[in-house]
């Protein structure tokens, strides 16, 4: 009888967790398009997407040059489009992204500082009120860091994401 009671308690507890949703905690008093934190229920499936780098936008330019890949905004758009395609191939969407790590190289045209403005112009096309084709309210937790360099001298952006779905 005692084992049956324990089994029923575990069954009820697991049924309750299956009803839980992914929770995105907003930054209090802010409309900045990231989540302060994201909480995953125990039944969520987690997908780790490797870091993606920008596609070539000018095939006539030297393959190791900034001209081959474009500025930070252009590179970010290209990287996020690649991530979107990868997610779609897995039957996921950008709204399933729960964590994003962004690596930006300092832009020589910006005095060696990361072009956060250019990054955000592209980012908000995928997340937040300005997303296309319409608002994308499922915001990820995110970190953006400036790094000394990436594998190619022409790359200014690399992004990796974690997606989850219950």
């Amino acid at each position: 009888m005692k084992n049956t009671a324990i089994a029923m308690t575990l069954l009820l507890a697991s049924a309750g967790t299956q009803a839980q949703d992914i929770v995105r905690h907003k930054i209090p008093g802010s409309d900045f398009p990231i989540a302060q934190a994201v909480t995953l229920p125990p039944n969520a499936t987690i997908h780790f997407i490797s870091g993606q780098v920008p596609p070539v936008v000018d095939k006539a330019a030297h393959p190791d040059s900034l001209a081959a890949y474009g500025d930070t905004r252009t590179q970010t758009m290209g990287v996020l489009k690649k991530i979107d395609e990868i997610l779609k191939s897995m039957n996921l969407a950008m709204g399933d992204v729960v964590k994003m790590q962004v690596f930006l190289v300092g832009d020589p045209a910006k005095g060696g500082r990361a072009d956060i403005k250019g990054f955000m112009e592209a980012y908000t096309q995928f997340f937040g009120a300005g997303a296309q084709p319409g608002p994308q309210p499922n915001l990820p937790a995110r970190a953006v860091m400036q790094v000394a360099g990436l594998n190619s001298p022409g790359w200014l952006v690399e992004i990796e994401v974690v997606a989850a779905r219950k």
Side-chain angles (χ1 to χ4, degrees):
M1 193 64 152
K2 186 175 180 182
N3 287 341
T4 304
I6 292 171
M8 285 300 280
T9 302
L10 290 173
L11 181 63
L12 290 172
S14 70
T17 44
Q18 289 179 358
Q20 292 177 338
D21 289 328
I22 294 172
V23 179
R24 295 163 195 269
H25 305 273
K26 294 182 180 257
I27 300 171
S30 174
D31 62 354
F32 195 68
I34 66 170
Q36 179 171 304
V38 178
T39 303
L40 302 178
N43 63 331
T45 301
I46 303 170
H47 309 269
F48 297 88
I49 312 303
S50 293
Q52 299 299 307
V53 295
V56 172
V57 294
D58 182 354
K59 293 183 185 343
H62 188 277
D64 286 337
S65 70
L66 285 176
Y69 300 95
D71 61 10
T72 299
R73 182 186 188 288
T74 301
Q75 290 193 26
T76 302
M77 283 296 291
V79 170
L80 291 174
K81 285 179 182 178
K82 284 172 73 172
I83 291 170
D84 188 43
E85 290 169 8
I86 290 167
L87 292 170
K88 285 178 181 172
S89 76
M90 300 170 68
N91 294 317
L92 298 167
M94 288 299 236
D96 295 314
V97 173
V98 295
K99 174 71 172 122
M100 177 182 289
Q101 290 196 112
V102 179
F103 305 94
L104 299 178
V105 174
D107 186 338
K110 304 285 182 189
R113 298 292 303 156
D115 182 6
I116 300 297
K117 182 177 184 247
F119 165 76
M120 287 300 294
E121 287 172 0
Y123 173 84
T124 55
Q125 297 297 306
F126 294 86
F127 297 97
Q132 300 300 321
Q136 165 37 299
N138 293 341
L139 303 175
R142 190 190 80 196
V144 178
M145 57 212 86
Q146 181 169 335
V147 296
L150 296 168
N151 197 39
S152 169
W155 296 341
L156 296 173
V157 179
E158 182 170 349
I159 301 173
E160 67 179 26
V161 300
V162 176
R165 185 179 285 166
K166 63 176 210 99

